Amino acid sequence: MNHITDHQRKQLNEKEWNRNHKYFQEALSDFMYDAASGRAIRHLCDSGYTAAQIAHQLNYPTSFAKIRQTITRRLKETGILLDELPASCKNIQTVTLKQMTPEKLFSFLAEHVRQNGEEHCFVACPFGTGVPWTDANRQKYSMLTMREYEYLESIVWDAKIMYHMLNRRMLEISVQIAAYSETVRFYFLKNRQCYESRPYAKP
């Protein structure tokens, strides 16, 4: 039968205390962060601010990484950003569109958004599967305005395809990417349709 010495018991108690103290400090840090910045970031995110814009609005020092994490979590909580499409959408047939000008593509997609309702329309986002957000990526998406690029940069993209609701902002961004940069897939869940659009021209 093994006996624990007083010294060993003391070491175990110290380890337990250190572990509990660490959890307490992390919980306290999260509470302080939420009180100081978290609610403000969520509010500004809901108002359409990018991470860069939010960083200039905050009075409490908050890292850019923390702002991006909070924005990403908020977009997921509100259903704007999905890790995957609903299971019922797995067998949607994909139709490849004929090449359209950006204006025609925008009108075509906007009409489908109107028919389905914005909350049932998503665009596939491969932004976390390529190179990190660097100057090389800025050049790749040079057709976007600085604010549009900043919005994409505000999200912590997983290393897989994610899905962003096709609201007005993302519709404008994705149409430009589809027209000038890379193939993009648009999902309309209510009508169970997926349209694949390939680049039309170089900017």
Side-chain angles (χ1 to χ4, degrees):
M1 183 175 180
N2 295 327
H3 294 281
I4 300 177
T5 66
D6 289 341
H7 177 68
Q8 290 173 324
R9 185 176 292 107
K10 183 179 179 181
Q11 286 183 319
L12 289 173
N13 289 337
E14 287 179 351
K15 288 181 179 178
E16 182 67 21
W17 186 89
N18 288 334
R19 184 161 52 246
N20 290 337
H21 181 69
K22 180 182 178 183
Y23 291 153
F24 172 77
Q25 290 297 325
E26 289 176 349
L28 180 61
S29 176
D30 289 342
F31 174 80
M32 293 295 291
Y33 165 74
D34 192 68
S37 298
R39 280 174 288 187
I41 293 172
R42 290 192 292 272
H43 171 72
L44 292 171
C45 174
D46 291 344
S47 299
Y49 283 65
T50 67
Q53 289 173 309
I54 291 174
H56 286 95
Q57 293 286 328
L58 297 178
N59 295 321
Y60 187 81
T62 307
S63 70
F64 191 70
K66 193 75 171 178
I67 294 173
R68 292 179 70 226
Q69 290 170 3
T70 304
I71 288 174
T72 304
R73 185 164 57 249
R74 181 62 174 174
L75 294 177
K76 288 183 177 182
E77 290 171 352
T78 54
I80 293 174
L81 186 66
L82 304 180
D83 288 320
E84 56 185 28
L85 294 174
S88 60
C89 302
K90 288 185 177 179
N91 296 322
I92 289 180
Q93 184 177 3
T94 299
V95 176
T96 300
L97 297 173
K98 294 181 179 180
Q99 288 190 334
M100 302 182 192
T101 62
E103 294 77 16
K104 287 185 178 180
L105 179 60
F106 183 92
S107 297
F108 175 83
L109 295 171
E111 175 58 22
H112 278 74
V113 171
R114 187 192 66 77
Q115 292 175 8
N116 286 260
E118 192 175 273
E119 67 275 16
H120 301 295
C121 306
F122 290 85
V123 58
C125 301
F127 304 120
T129 61
V131 298
W133 287 95
T134 61
D135 290 341
N137 240 336
R138 184 68 188 98
Q139 185 175 2
K140 179 180 180 181
Y141 299 118
S142 60
M143 76 291 298
L144 302 179
T145 66
M146 181 57 71
R147 284 285 177 260
E148 289 170 338
Y149 182 80
E150 283 180 358
Y151 180 71
L152 297 183
E153 192 180 37
S154 299
I155 299 171
V156 181
W157 300 101
D158 293 339
K160 64 175 184 179
I161 300 294
M162 299 179 75
Y163 302 88
H164 193 291
M165 186 181 292
L166 209 55
N167 51 25
R168 176 78 184 200
R169 170 185 252 165
M170 204 60 187
L171 180 58
E172 292 176 352
I173 290 174
S174 56
V175 163
Q176 292 181 79
I177 292 175
Y180 299 120
S181 179
E182 57 194 76
T183 299
V184 178
R185 287 189 172 187
F186 301 91
Y187 293 84
F188 301 95
L189 308 187
K190 202 170 182 180
N191 289 349
R192 298 186 56 78
Q193 294 172 317
C194 171
Y195 293 106
E196 182 179 85
S197 179
R198 297 177 180 176
Y200 170 76
K202 296 294 182 181

